[in-house]
Amino acid sequence: MFSKKFQRKYALTDQGVENTKKGAFWTVIVNLVVMGGVGILYLLMSGFMETLTKGAPLPGIVPAVGLVLLFVLLSFVTHLQQYKATYGLVYNEVKTTRLSLAERLRKLPLGYFGKRDLADLTETIMGDVNRMEHVWSHVLGYLYGAYISTGVIAICLLLYDWRLAIACLWGVPAAFGLLFGSRKTAARSAQRTKKAAVRVSDGIQEALENIREIRATNQEERYLEGLNQKIDEHERVMIRGELGTGLFVNAASVIMRMGVATTILVGADLILSGSIDFMLLFLFLLVITRIYAPFDQSLALIAEMFISQVSADRMMEIYETPVAEGSGTFAPKDHDIVFEHVGFAYDEKEVLHDVSFTAKEGEVTALVGPSGSGKSTCARLAARLWDIDKGAVKVGGVDISTVDPEVLLRDYSMVFQDVVLFDDTVMENIRLGRHGATNEEVRAAAKAANCEEFIRRLPEGYDTPIGENGARLSGGERQRISIARALLKDAPIILLDEATASLDVENETKVQEALSHLLAGKTVLVIAHRMRTVEAADKIVVLAEGRVAEEGSPAELMARGGLFCRMVELQQQSAGWRLES
Ligand code: ADP
């Protein structure tokens, strides 16, 4: 139980918990050995004192040197073990954690990545894990080890002389109390710093992404000024946060050290009243310096631990987001997509309400409706990019929420507007459609997708690198590449989001031709923006504010004279043929 809580709190793996226990164990041993050193010093000193005051013979040199050597040896061995158990093991923990976070991300519903800022996710995998690494290696084992060893020593001291023990130890709980009291403030300022840091990286990313627009519209100065402000703000909250923790840590350290003064005062008083002798006070003073040492180190570390809580929480958020899992086999009887009373919310607000419709195999079903009515959401849900909240989405009678997304997606091709192209050759970019496809197959798909003529114009044909995200290609060309990918994959279900950006007539005809090859005989769900697609569709589902307003064939809907008919008429009056309002 404690172990689970501990693991969650510090975002540790199972192995990490074990390693921390080892680290704490060796820290206890090291601290006790060091205390043993204090004991040896005390023994030697009392021997000398006996000689000085009572004329007793000097302690034998051989046993004294033997004791010291034994101490040095023990100290070396235990420190080495502690080092291995804290630093050594932690480096593996960092690797395991990054891998397990990445593995977790792989299994999360794809929709999660639309919701989370990607700069933020990268910051978690790299930055947060780094920060935690320090806590894992420098803090946890040491701190928990110090708690235990100090507990043991405190009990011994209390048994020896409780008055001196209290005078010497009261500072420790007081200092910790102060630090724990400041915990909320530290966590809050860490949160603020983190947010400010993410704003800075977002700002930089945004500027880089939009550099063309910024230059074209002469907005460099305004942009830089905005960025400057974000950086200044980051610096300000960071300094304020550091100052706050610094103050608390130093105050705690001073309070702890006040124990030395009280020990001397109480000790002197006890000596004067004759209840203890000087050597006992001397022993306590020796012990006290060693008791503070592990805490001195950990006070600063505790502050770091509080701050790292933000990092641990961010990592745990990834671990605790439900993964999309399901059966490893998917054997639908056909590929009809059926929405049954589907309700869905991205966050709290429901965006689809009681949506029911069927997209039949071999037909083109067009989703039509004003912007924001839920067309893209329906397309995403049809492929289980998100899990729905109410109702069911079925393909060939199988509820897709029971199928592992990786397996499910083998039956889908998605041709969306934001085609992702990789900085690789044209050939490899198309081959992404089906891993292991031969060059001939890739060429055939490219030809059917009307890519051939523009690929031939490229300097190295199929072997031309196309630059980051296809910077060297036009919108229509990129879309044709993504159609070629889908052709190569030859999946039975096609989700298609038509380009909203107007393509020139030639490009548009080519894209349409390519699509006609792709769509034949498949279950096609298309987010339609063009008249041509809508007219050619077998079925139209009109969405309005997340509900199905009308459905039927284009002719039926025109005859009914409802929302669809009005939208078509409106669009026909305006120059474009786009259906979105
Ligand atoms: P359409 O494709 O018809 O334009 P969408 O399906 O994109 O409509 O959006 C439907 C509603 O869902 C809108 O109100 C939109 O603001 C909201 N929405 C879309 N995507 C997200 C998202 N990733 N997170 C939160 N809300 C979203």
Side-chain angles (χ1 to χ4, degrees), residues 360-366 413-415 448-449 482-483 486-487 490-498 511-527 532-534 536-538:
K360 282 218 167 71
E361 185 170 299
E363 288 191 354
V364 173
T365 305
S413 279
M414 293 184 221
V415 183
S482 102
I483 293 172
L487 275 166
D490 196 28
I493 299 173
I494 312 271
L495 303 179
L496 175 66
D497 187 354
E498 282 188 320
V511 169
Q512 289 299 336
E513 262 176 41
L515 279 176
S516 63
H517 292 143
L518 174 65
L519 305 183
K522 309 277 167 63
T523 307
V524 182
L525 193 60
V526 48
I527 302 171
R532 222 199 284 187
T533 322
V534 176
D538 299 287

Side-chain angles (χ1 to χ4, degrees), residues 306-447:
F306 294 158
I307 294 170
S308 74
Q309 199 54 53
V310 179
S311 294
D313 288 347
R314 285 156 50 93
M315 283 159 66
M316 286 319 289
E317 196 224 305
I318 295 182
Y319 280 130
E320 284 169 0
T321 307
V323 289
E325 283 169 326
S327 131
T329 50
F330 177 52
K333 62 180 177 2
D334 53 38
H335 289 96
D336 288 359
I337 303 175
V338 183
F339 274 59
E340 289 176 359
H341 307 289
V342 170
F344 175 74
Y346 285 102
D347 304 306
E348 263 93 67
K349 202 173 130 261
E350 204 178 72
V351 293
L352 289 188
H353 326 276
D354 197 23
V355 169
S356 298
F357 66 87
T358 302
K360 282 218 167 71
E361 185 170 299
E363 288 191 354
V364 173
T365 305
L367 294 169
V368 172
S371 173
S373 57
K375 305 181 292 292
S376 316
T377 307
C378 281
R380 287 176 200 144
L381 297 183
R384 205 189 167 194
L385 299 193
W386 295 85
D387 274 329
I388 55 174
D389 303 318
K390 289 185 206 142
V393 178
K394 293 182 178 165
V395 171
V398 179
D399 185 336
I400 60 169
S401 68
T402 63
V403 183
D404 181 348
E406 247 181 78
V407 175
L408 184 73
L409 286 173
R410 286 185 204 146
D411 278 10
Y412 286 71
S413 279
M414 293 184 221
V415 183
F416 283 173
Q417 283 181 36
D418 38 2
V419 188
V420 178
L421 296 176
F422 295 91
D423 189 10
D424 204 336
T425 59
V426 178
M427 180 73 94
E428 293 315 314
N429 263 289
I430 298 178
R431 211 195 305 272
L432 277 181
R434 178 155 51 87
H435 184 68
T438 62
N439 288 356
E440 272 54 54
E441 286 170 321
V442 172
R443 284 208 179 87
K447 196 164 175 203

Side-chain angles (χ1 to χ4, degrees), residues 45-58:
M45 274 307 283
S46 20
F48 279 126
M49 290 301 280
E50 295 273 304
T51 314
L52 283 180
T53 52
K54 298 184 189 140
L58 261 176

